[in-house]
Amino acid sequence: MEFKDYYKVLGVERTASEDEVKKAFRKLARKYHPDVNKAAGAATRMQELNEAYDVLRDPQKRAAYDQVGQGRHGGQEFHPPPGWDAGFEFSGGPQGAPDFGAHSDFFEALFGAARGARRAGPGTRSRGQDHHAKVVIPLEDAFHGATRTLTLHSPELDAGGHVALRERQLSVNIPKGIRAGQQIRLVGQGTPGLGGEPAGDLYLEVQFEPHARYRVDGRDLYLALPVAPWEAALGAVVPVRTPDGQLEMNVPAGSQTGRKLRLKGRGIPGGAPGDLYVMLEVVLPPAASEKAKALYRQMAQELAFDPRHDVEVAR
């Protein structure tokens, strides 16, 4: 997927104000609109203009786009980095959004779930828009629950029509057992209502910080555990550190690298708790001393072992 430079599409600088973006779009739209331009490629060009304007006219989308686009140029290979939009607060949803036509895969990858909504006119009575944001928390919070102060950035236009970030901090209760992708609802923390109607809500989509030890899949965890050759060959009881504390695990005799052992119910807690899958990795001690080298030579002589006995050797 290619990165799209929306500023280049509209022919404006990255510092362009809201009015400058609007004027550039209108000028180009008059030139390429299919109703007035029947040339081949005009419809495609108009679709590109619509998409660029959809992003740059919206302070929330524009601020997020500016962050992910730092140092990138149009045409470069691009894949959104994990958690690129964490901490950005978006308002509205698909309902009531302006229809700018079809969008590219690039747009959908960034903003498919964050379409803006029309601004209400004077005298309107309506409930405030809901907001949503992605937040990243430590995996351990899912095991014990926590209260965390989260910082959200809400883009808005300043007096000069330029995008500025308004920061707010919220104290949020992280419930025990939450998993990646679930949402925490904060009632009344969205846009204020109009005409005395209630405010919208804020939905926080939870993701976990990358962990040095565990890989998360739903409620299940995966852990690579080093074991010594004698532990794998003879069997052993070894300590395993989990997010919920340390426990002892039995390594069956004759285990090899890649063997998967299941610790039932030791994953993320819940009504049906996940499991912890331990992947064994047999680690050889280094032959760093003459004694260690002698032990390896003794093993080579006394053990009738050929690790390649079932591998066809090319002649």
Side-chain angles (χ1 to χ4, degrees):
M1 180 170 60
E2 292 185 352
F3 181 82
K4 289 186 175 294
D5 188 338
Y6 291 135
Y7 291 98
K8 186 175 181 180
V9 170
L10 292 182
V12 297
E13 299 294 330
R14 290 185 172 269
T15 55
S17 67
E18 181 186 32
D19 285 342
E20 290 170 333
V21 169
K22 185 183 299 183
K23 289 177 181 177
F25 171 75
R26 288 178 174 174
K27 179 180 178 180
L28 292 169
R30 285 194 295 268
K31 180 178 179 181
Y32 290 101
H33 197 284
D35 289 346
V36 297
N37 191 331
K38 305 300 182 182
T44 299
R45 175 65 169 143
M46 191 66 221
Q47 182 177 323
E48 294 174 346
L49 294 172
N50 282 335
E51 180 171 305
Y53 186 52
D54 190 352
V55 173
L56 299 187
R57 69 182 289 276
D58 186 310
Q60 297 169 342
K61 292 194 189 83
R62 183 175 176 178
Y65 170 77
D66 285 347
Q67 173 168 290
V68 77
Q70 287 181 0
R72 292 186 169 93
H73 304 284
Q76 288 183 331
E77 183 67 18
F78 172 76
H79 297 283
W84 72 272
D85 55 348
F88 275 95
E89 188 175 342
F90 294 95
S91 63
Q95 295 183 351
D99 184 8
F100 284 91
H103 292 88
S104 67
D105 292 341
F106 173 80
F107 178 96
E108 293 295 338
L110 296 183
F111 305 110
R115 306 290 178 84
R118 288 190 177 95
R119 299 176 183 176
T124 301
R125 290 176 56 88
S126 65
R127 177 183 178 274
Q129 291 183 26
D130 292 335
H131 288 203
H132 65 273
K134 184 180 295 182
V135 295
V136 182
I137 64 173
L139 173 62
E140 286 75 11
D141 287 357
F143 280 80
H144 310 292
T147 298
R148 294 200 172 270
T149 300
L150 303 179
T151 300
L152 299 181
H153 301 282
S154 180
E156 56 187 24
L157 293 176
D158 62 17
H162 296 90
V163 176
L165 290 178
R166 177 175 61 86
E167 181 178 292
R168 67 165 170 164
Q169 293 185 330
L170 296 170
S171 180
V172 179
N173 292 322
I174 309 297
K176 178 180 177 179
I178 197 165
R179 56 183 173 80
Q182 285 190 311
Q183 294 185 334
I184 300 173
R185 178 189 178 198
L186 301 181
V187 177
Q189 291 293 335
T191 301
L194 299 175
E197 295 298 312
D201 301 330
L202 170 62
Y203 292 87
L204 301 177
E205 179 187 331
V206 169
Q207 297 294 334
F208 295 129
E209 296 172 353
H211 203 285
R213 292 174 54 83
Y214 309 105
R215 178 174 66 85
V216 182
D217 183 7
R219 290 194 181 277
D220 296 332
L221 301 183
Y222 290 80
L223 166 68
L225 183 69
V227 293
W230 47 88
E231 292 173 330
L234 305 176
V237 176
V238 299
V240 178
R241 192 173 67 195
T242 79
D244 205 24
Q246 186 165 293
L247 51 81
E248 302 292 315
M249 184 188 72
N250 180 58
V251 176
S255 293
Q256 298 282 355
T257 290
R259 183 166 189 174
K260 181 168 68 175
L261 303 177
R262 176 190 179 199
L263 297 177
K264 186 176 181 180
R266 293 292 183 172
I268 294 176
D275 301 324
L276 173 60
Y277 292 94
V278 179
M279 314 296 292
L280 298 183
E281 293 183 353
V282 180
V283 180
L284 300 177
S289 66
E290 287 303 319
K291 183 176 181 180
K293 293 176 183 178
L295 287 172
Y296 273 116
R297 295 189 187 101
Q298 183 179 354
M299 289 175 61
Q301 293 173 359
E302 297 185 6
L303 296 179
F305 176 63
D306 180 5
R308 295 169 295 280
H309 71 281
D310 59 348
V311 178
E312 183 177 353
V313 179
R315 298 182 181 276

